[in-house]
Amino acid sequence: MEGGNSSEAGDSYCGKVHDEPLEVPETAHQISTDSWFQVGFVLTTGINSAYVLGYSGAVMVPLGWIFGVIALIVATSISLDANILVAKLHEFGGKRHIRYRDLAGHIYGRRAYSLTWGLQYVNLFMINTGYIILSGEALKAAYVLYWDDHAMKLPYFIAIAGFVCAVFAIGIPHLSALGVWLGVSTFFSMVYIVIAILLSVQDGIKSPPRDYSIPGSTTSKIFTTIGSCASVVFAFNTGMLPEIQATIRQPVVENMLKSLYFQFSVGVLPLYAVTFAGYWAYGSNTSTYLLNSVNGPVWMKTAANIAAFLQSVIALHIFASPTYEYLDTRFGIRGSALAAGNLSFRIAVRGGYLTINTFIAALLPFIGDFMSLTGAISTFPLTFILANHMYLVAKKTKLSSLGKLWRWFNVCFFGCLAVTAAIAALRLIAVDSKTYHVFADL
């Protein structure tokens, strides 16, 4: 078993996979340095990011009370199960697998290594793009509280958000370096979640009975229901669990399980609260960005929107860290983060990466579509299909017949759901493309 620092756990090794050597490169980032509690906050930061302000509209409106509540509870349970499977495989074969693609490559071979990296890159790229859209929407929402003159449009705010995200990325060299920023992120999360809940409840008490019927035609309801399933799965999963687990101290499996239990117990409560409060208050008219629906003091809405903007900047860094790790390792970035060469590398490479994210975000700022499509084409395969099948292959001699049957059921069920969800998401994009033009001011 490999040790607790980057030089030990990052050393290259060559294992036989289907008689094909698979080399795993060392890492330029720190590993095995963080407590389970810090890692738990990394996971919780992802769950309670500003995306939670969209689940009332993106999940509850298409599903309604009964199926919406059931979907959230079921998604929580199956996501915990799938993440536990991946966490338990972290040291499979006597080696630490500090990247998702390393684990898949060790089990299946080089083609799976490349495919997993491709799926994960798409997943993280789209999540990062979604965060920049969220950041821009939050900035615009704060702006229109004071100047509703349409002079500043959403693409301008997205550009500002992208620039701030790039500055933050340049200043934080790796995931473990977030440190105190995780506490700052939690504070910002609580600001916009508490304000959103308070103002929603206040509006709900004053409002007449709301309409909770599911809007749209029968065909539209079918597609939006499928899309919302992808959105709810997206809410609970990172698609980069091995990369996060790589930062945790020994014993890595036991500590990661503690972090996951923290994430899926205490960590999900704020998400539930704001999602249900928003839908209860506004029914089928709930906005996909809840702070656009609430009424209340301007200063409170301003604080909530600014907090959502700043938290998104921090959360984006978490989901961009595997890409940064790959680039830093690929180009041999070592030593002090403030060294002139390392600093200029981060400015050029991370700045360039986030410039592409920002351009795509400004070009197609449809946040609901991003959530649905990301869940369909990458979160489903990475989190459920691959996790269950890897566990099935790795533990096939230790699983009972019933256990094998259950894992195969998960693989087949989520495979079908991923295909149907992708079709639904593409249809949603096609419909929105007719309504909104590129660089739209939503």
Side-chain angles (χ1 to χ4, degrees), residues 19 26 49 108 119 136 190 213 226 234 322 331 374 399:
D19 295 324
E26 61 183 4
S49 68
Y108 301 118
L119 283 174
M190 290 299 100
S213 61
I226 296 170
F234 172 85
F331 291 98
T374 301
L399 291 175

Side-chain angles (χ1 to χ4, degrees), residues 1 65 111 114 130 159 176 180 208 213 235 265 288 342 396 398 435:
M1 187 179 300
W65 271 120
R111 288 186 179 180
S114 301
S176 293
V180 69
S213 61
S265 56
T288 53
N342 294 346
K396 58 185 176 182
K398 298 181 180 179
T435 305

